[in-house]
Amino acid sequence: MGDCGNLTDAWPDATGRFRSFGGQYVPETLMVAVRQLDAAYAAAKDDPAFWSELDGYLTSYVGRPSPIYFASRLSEYLGGAKIFLKREDLNHTGAHKINNTLGQAILAKRMGKRRVIAETGAGQHGVATATAAAVFGFDCVVYMGAEDIRRQRLNAYRMELLGAKLVQVDSGQRTLKDAINEALRDWIANVETTHYIIGSVMGPHPFPVLVRDLQSVIGRETRRQMLELLGRLPDVAVACVGGGSNAAGLFFPFLEDEGVRLIGVEAAGEGLEKRHSATISKGNPGVLHGMQTIVLQDEDGQTLPVHSVSAGLDYPGVGPEHALWAESGRAEYVSATDDEALDAFELLSRMEGIIPALETAHAVAYVMKLAPTMGSDQAIVINLSGRGDKDCVEVARVRGADIG
C-alpha cells in the first residue's frame, strides 16, 4: 500500500507563517477561498477516510510505493559514496506531481467544486492536474507560458488529450511566473466554482503546508526503504528546487534526523552572475504570489527575469518553508548550471539507462561533484522527481542535434 499516514503541522502558526515567511498575501476576494481550503484541509487531514481514498488512488492508479534503485554503475564511475535514486519518474504521468494533484482533487470534491485550474512550467503539473480532473470528471483549465509550450510541446498535447483546456500566456517572460499570474486572475474571477491546484509548496497558506504534506509520501517511503536496504538512514538526501515541492516531500520526514544532510539544488542557468533562477542563493526577502519568501528582485522590489534550461525551475521565488530551512541552516541550498545539468542528463542516461527530467538533472549534477568527496561506506539519495521524455527535443536542440 501507499504511505499516506495522518500528518500534523510542523513549524507554521495558524496563518501559515514559518517564522517570518509564508502568510496569506491575497486580495480580499480570494480570502474566502483560502479560508475555505484551510478549513477543508484541517478537517480532511484528521479524517481517515480522506487518507484512505488518496491511498487507494496512489496504490492502484499511480503505482506507489515508487522503488529505490541503487545506481551501481554511476556510483562506480564517480567513486566515493553509493548513490540511490528514489524513482518518482516511475509514477503514472512520469513525475511526483500526481501525488499532489490527486490529493487536491479529492479536497475539491469535498468542497463541492467541479472546476479546477492550474499553472505549469515543465508541463508535468499540468499533465498531472489534467489527469486528476479526468479521473474525477472535473472541468480543467491549465495556464502555460508560450516559451514553456515551445519547450514542452509534448506535455502541452498530453494536457489537451486528457481533456484540459490549455491557455497560452504571452505576457512577461512567457514562463512559469506569468502562468501563475494568469491562474490567480482566473481564480479571482471564478472563486465560487473553482479550486486552484497549485503545483508547488508556494502561494498563500494553506498551500505550502498542504502540498508539503501530500508530497511527504516521498520522504516517508524513502526513509523506510533505506532502513530496509542499508539498516540505516542515508547520509545525504538531494533534490532539485524551483518552487520546491519534490524537495520538501523528500526532506520533511528527515527534518528530525540531524545525521542526514538535506541539499536542495537550484538552477544557476548561465551562471550566478548572469541569467539564472537560483532564488535562495541570490535572492532577498519579499512578497510573491501570496507569500512572504525569498525572491529574486531588484532594489525596487520588482521580480527579476529568470532563466533555466529546465522550464520547471524557471521561477523567481521559492516555497516559504525552504526559506525557513535555509535561514535555520537545516537544509543547504546550492546550484548547478545549464551546462552541468545537460551533462548530468546525458551521463545518467548512458550509465543507468534512466533519462531524467532536466529539473532532476540539476540534482544529479551536484551529486556528480559531491559523491567523489565522500567515503564508499556513505550513501546519497537523489529524488529522481521526473523522467526526461519531455525534455529530449529541447536537449537535442540545445546540443545542436538534428532529430528532424
Side-chain angles (χ1 to χ4, degrees), residues 27 29-30 115 117 143 169-172 177-191 194 196 289:
T29 319
L30 282 183
R115 179 178 183 266
I117 60 174
Y143 292 88
V169 178
D170 292 305
S171 58
K177 174 180 71 72
D178 312 296
I180 294 170
N181 290 340
E182 290 303 315
L184 284 168
R185 291 187 184 101
D186 183 316
W187 199 24
I188 290 169
N190 300 285
V191 68
T194 299
Y196 179 10
H289 294 143

Side-chain angles (χ1 to χ4, degrees), residues 287-358:
V287 174
L288 177 68
H289 294 143
M291 60 183 171
Q292 172 128 359
T293 185
I294 299 174
V295 183
L296 288 170
Q297 57 191 328
D298 62 21
E299 58 188 16
D300 297 320
Q302 300 300 308
T303 54
L304 291 169
V306 291
H307 164 76
S308 171
V309 71
S310 58
L313 302 185
D314 218 344
Y315 183 61
V318 69
E321 195 163 13
H322 283 294
L324 170 69
W325 295 340
E327 181 181 77
S328 68
R330 179 58 190 98
E332 307 162 46
Y333 295 86
V334 297
S335 61
T337 65
D338 287 350
D339 286 342
E340 289 170 333
L342 289 164
D343 289 344
F345 180 90
E346 293 169 349
L347 182 67
L348 186 63
S349 299
R350 292 167 182 169
M351 281 288 164
E352 298 292 350
I354 298 171
I355 304 173
L358 272 176

Side-chain angles (χ1 to χ4, degrees), residues 108-131:
K109 182 179 68 170
R110 289 168 72 111
M111 291 185 292
K113 298 190 176 182
R114 306 293 300 177
R115 179 178 183 266
V116 295
I117 60 174
E119 85 296 328
T120 196
Q124 287 301 122
H125 176 61
V127 168
T129 300
T131 299

